[in-house]
Each structure stands twice: as C-alpha cells, then as structure tokens.
Amino acid sequence: MFDEYGAASRLKVPVAAWRWAAGSGLVPPADAGPRLWSRAVVEGCDAEAVRAALRGPVGAGWAADRLTEALGVPLPRCRPRVTAAAVGHLVRAGLLAHLGGDVEYPDVHPDQVATLGRRRDLAALLDRHVPLGPDQAAVRLGVRRRDFDILVQRGYLSPVGSVDIDFKKQGGITTVALYSAQEVALLPVVWPGVDWRAVRTVAAGRRSPLAGLDPVTPGEYRLLLAAVARIARVGRAAVVQWRRRHNDFPTPVGGSEAHPEFDRAAVLAWLLAHHKIEVPTRTPTASLLMARPGGGTRTFRLDDPILTLAADVEGEDRLSGWSTDEDADALTALGTGEFGATLRRLTAPGVEALAVPGEVRLLDRHRAGGGGLRVTLAWPAGLRGTASATSAGGVVRHGVTYAAPGVACVCARQECGGVVPVGWCADHGDDAAPVMEWHPGGGLRCLDLAAGRPGGGAGPRWPRAHCPHD
C-alpha cells in the first residue's frame, strides 16, 4: 500500500498533484486505511490526468487576498481581512485541499479558492471555522480594541484557543488568545441592553461606553423568560409557548415555577438551533445613485445606514452610514454646487426607494475610534419623493391642476388628486399649461394633500384641469 508520497512517486507526479487528485475525487478514495491506497488503486490511476489537473499550487497569502476580495470591495464594515492563517483553518475544515507547504499556511489550488470565493455563504463559513485574534475580533464587532478588551475582562466573551506568535525583535514569542467569530458577531444579539451604536461610533481617546458595564461570571449567567424574549426580539408569551411546544427547550436551572431561570449558553444554543436568532454575517447597506454634474450617475454604498425622515415639509431628512474616504470626498464634491447634489435613487432597508431632486449635501464626516468613517447626508424633507423605477432613477413628480380632464385623458390619477404627466394626452394633445404646482409623488406634500381630501381619500378639494406633463 502507498501513502500520498508513495503514490505520487509510483505515478511519477508531484505530491501536490496527487493531493489535489485525492481531494477533488479524480482518484478513488483511500481503500487501505486513513490516507493509504492499495497498489491496484494507484496503478489504475491515469498519471497524465493527475498531472494535468494541478494548477498552481498557490500560497496561503495569495488565497487569503482572493477570499478577502470575494467578501466585497471595499471590504464591508465589521469584516476583517482573511489571513494566511485563516486559509490553514479552511483546509482543516475540509473546504480547501492541502497541496503542500506549512500546515499552518498551506499551498492550495487556485480553482478551488475561486469556487469557495463564489459561495454565497462565504462570510458564514469564515465565521464558523476561522477563530479571530483580539484585533481581528474588534474589527468583526466594529469597536475599538480597548472596548473589546473590556468585554473580555467583564466576562462577556471567553477565548476558545490560543496561538504562539514569534514577534522576534518586537518581543519574542507571545501567546495570543483566539475567539470564536460567531460568538463575537452574536454579542449585539445576545446583549441587547448594550448601546452598541454608541460603542461603535465613539471617537478615539474618549471614555468607553462600556466602562460602566457590570461584570458577569462565564458559565454562571442565567436568564429569565423576559430576558430570553428580549434576545429573540419576541414577547414573553412567545417564549412560554416555545417551552410548551418543544420538548428540547432547556430545563430551568433555578428560580421558581413562576419565574424560572435558564442557563444562558443552553438557551443561546437552542435559539440558534431552532433559527430563533441568527449569526449576523452581513452588515445592512444603503445604495445611493447620485447624479454627476456633467451627466451620468455614480453609485455609493453606506454600511449600517440610519435614515431619519422628517414629519413636515419644513424639516430635514438625514442619512448616515459607514463609508470610505474616497466616497466621502466624492459626496462632498457633489454637494458643493449651487443647488447641491441630486439623489436619483436611494435604496435602504425598511423603506421604499426614494429620490431627491437637488439640495443634498454632506452634513458631517466622523472618524470613529475603531477606524471607520461615518458620514451624514441631509436634504430638505419637502423635496423627497418616490424614485422612478427606470434605471436612471429620479423623483416621480405630478401636478395639481386648474380644471378637470376629459373622459379620454390617459394621465394616471394619484391619491392626492394630482396626475402623472405622459408624453401625449388623447384628450388634450401636447397642451400642458397651466399647472398650479408640482410636487414629488409619495412625498410629504403629496401625502398632506391626500390626507386633506374629504372622507380621507374620496376626491380632491380643488378644481382640476387638463393633464400636465414635462
């Protein structure tokens, strides 16, 4: 029988080629023991096919760079770069084949790296299989290193392992703690009472918002039903129903019959197993399609956006999110013109696509202690409206007119009583004037007009005219 070195020697191929053939299924699986092949199997393999299948191999550093690019460019907020050591963890998890080199920083096949990079669950796989050092864990959580250290000191997170790193002239061999990326990412979920937004946006040199955090004893923290409900973002009654319907719900470890207490680790494991909570793998994003002064558009991305919409036309809407220095500079340049920038389409979680035809400006740019740049955009609320469904975007506008249209008019009627202009009206041809006012469809003015209609929406209060259009 042959091990991988003997098999490669027998076929006169590189060891890396045999490893790739074995890992990719090109040759039969080991039949004589763990990673051992019989003579019949080895001699029955096509040596030329084994040799031809190998491309590369490539080093762990190259593979790490390609996987980092696969996560997104620029790299999403709260996502550390993939390191060469992480490639070693992926090999040990069976996601990549070890073709040679150091077992901690292995050589791998470029095609397999590319395939892994195309997987939609790449971020989840990294969280599951690759532990993080303290600096990387702070990036994954989106906080300063000092804030992360406070969480560890107060018992909110415990190491899952360690690694010895030789810093040579900078201090020799140092033992560095490793933390589960999944547990790090879950902290904002399982500790909802912490103001995580304040922790993530605190400036460098400022006192940590976590300074007053009460310490906990790992392994001894217990949860009441109300606390379980807060973690799962449901009512207490829902947790009571889970206990009744699921026989595997954790057994109380203390408390009373009316107020049972549960082991925190057991509850979190149950919530994850039953998909009541999930490990956050991606940061929510907002996409902004901005008009260029000379024509055309440019798309910007804001991570972890907060959109605050004013309630009256005299107010101001604000949008903040994490950005890059390059994008922040470009947004500043777009908003410095006489009429500000034009937002042709904004898509953000929880709201319909909206647009703003001018007066968008960069209100603030703030460098957080964790290294991220957070920007805030603002615009007059009265200009906000529904974005057009066309690729060019732009606000949908319509007019409130003087007299009623004829029966053959094809203009679309809005709830507020205005009409959407079309290129030509069967009743009125291209005669478009006069128009009393224009306002963005779905905007505050449009909603105010609709709310003022008699009966809350049955007919407008003003006389209407023929159909207007651009």
Side-chain angles (χ1 to χ4, degrees), residues 135-399:
D135 290 331
Q136 292 176 306
V139 173
R140 183 67 183 88
L141 192 56
V143 302
R144 299 176 301 181
R145 169 65 189 272
R146 61 181 295 193
D147 298 315
F148 179 80
D149 290 341
I150 291 176
L151 290 168
V152 174
Q153 293 164 5
R154 304 292 167 87
Y156 288 75
L157 200 65
S158 299
V160 296
S162 63
V163 61
D164 291 334
I165 299 179
D166 188 358
F167 289 99
K168 302 187 184 302
K169 294 182 179 179
Q170 285 71 35
I173 296 177
T174 302
T175 300
V176 177
L178 297 177
Y179 300 87
S180 164
Q182 284 190 329
E183 291 186 14
V184 171
L186 273 172
L187 283 173
V189 177
V190 301
W191 296 102
V194 176
D195 188 350
W196 292 103
R197 194 169 301 281
V199 178
R200 287 170 170 167
T201 56
V202 64
R206 290 299 188 93
R207 183 175 185 268
S208 173
L210 299 174
L213 203 61
D214 293 330
V216 298
T217 303
E220 297 183 9
Y221 194 81
R222 297 178 178 180
L223 299 174
L224 294 171
L225 289 174
V228 178
R230 284 194 295 271
I231 290 174
R233 288 170 172 76
V234 298
R236 185 180 184 277
V239 181
V240 172
Q241 290 298 320
W242 294 344
R243 287 190 67 198
R244 292 174 179 171
R245 295 176 181 176
H246 298 277
N247 295 329
D248 61 340
F249 194 89
T251 303
V253 294
S256 63
E257 184 175 349
H259 301 285
E261 296 177 345
F262 302 88
D263 177 71
R264 176 178 172 274
V267 168
L268 295 182
W270 188 91
L271 292 174
L272 285 169
H274 288 263
H275 306 289
K276 305 301 183 183
I277 61 174
E278 294 182 350
V279 178
T281 58
R282 294 190 179 276
T283 302
T285 62
S287 176
L288 294 81
L289 184 67
M290 306 292 294
R292 294 178 181 270
T297 58
R298 174 172 173 176
T299 301
F300 297 87
R301 187 187 84 196
L302 294 182
D303 291 339
D304 192 19
I306 302 177
L307 177 62
T308 305
L309 301 179
D312 61 85
V313 294
E314 300 300 325
E316 184 177 67
D317 296 338
R318 293 191 177 188
L319 171 68
S320 64
W322 299 100
S323 182
T324 64
D325 288 282
E326 179 185 354
D327 282 357
D329 291 341
L331 287 169
T332 300
L334 289 175
T336 53
E338 180 180 359
F339 301 105
T342 293
L343 175 57
R344 301 200 65 84
R345 180 184 293 108
L346 165 65
T347 54
V351 296
E352 294 185 4
L354 58 88
V356 184
E359 298 192 38
V360 179
R361 67 190 189 282
L362 187 70
L363 186 65
D364 180 55
R365 53 193 297 171
H366 165 73
R367 179 77 62 183
L373 178 65
R374 194 164 185 88
V375 300
T376 300
L377 299 172
W379 57 82
L383 294 180
R384 177 222 319 155
T386 302
S388 169
T390 64
S391 59
V395 69
V396 175
R397 298 193 306 162
H398 49 269

Side-chain angles (χ1 to χ4, degrees), residues 412-435:
R413 182 75 54 198
Q414 301 297 303
E415 288 187 3
C416 69
V419 292
V420 173
V422 295
W424 184 81
C425 177
D427 191 34
H428 307 102
D430 57 3
D431 185 7
V435 173

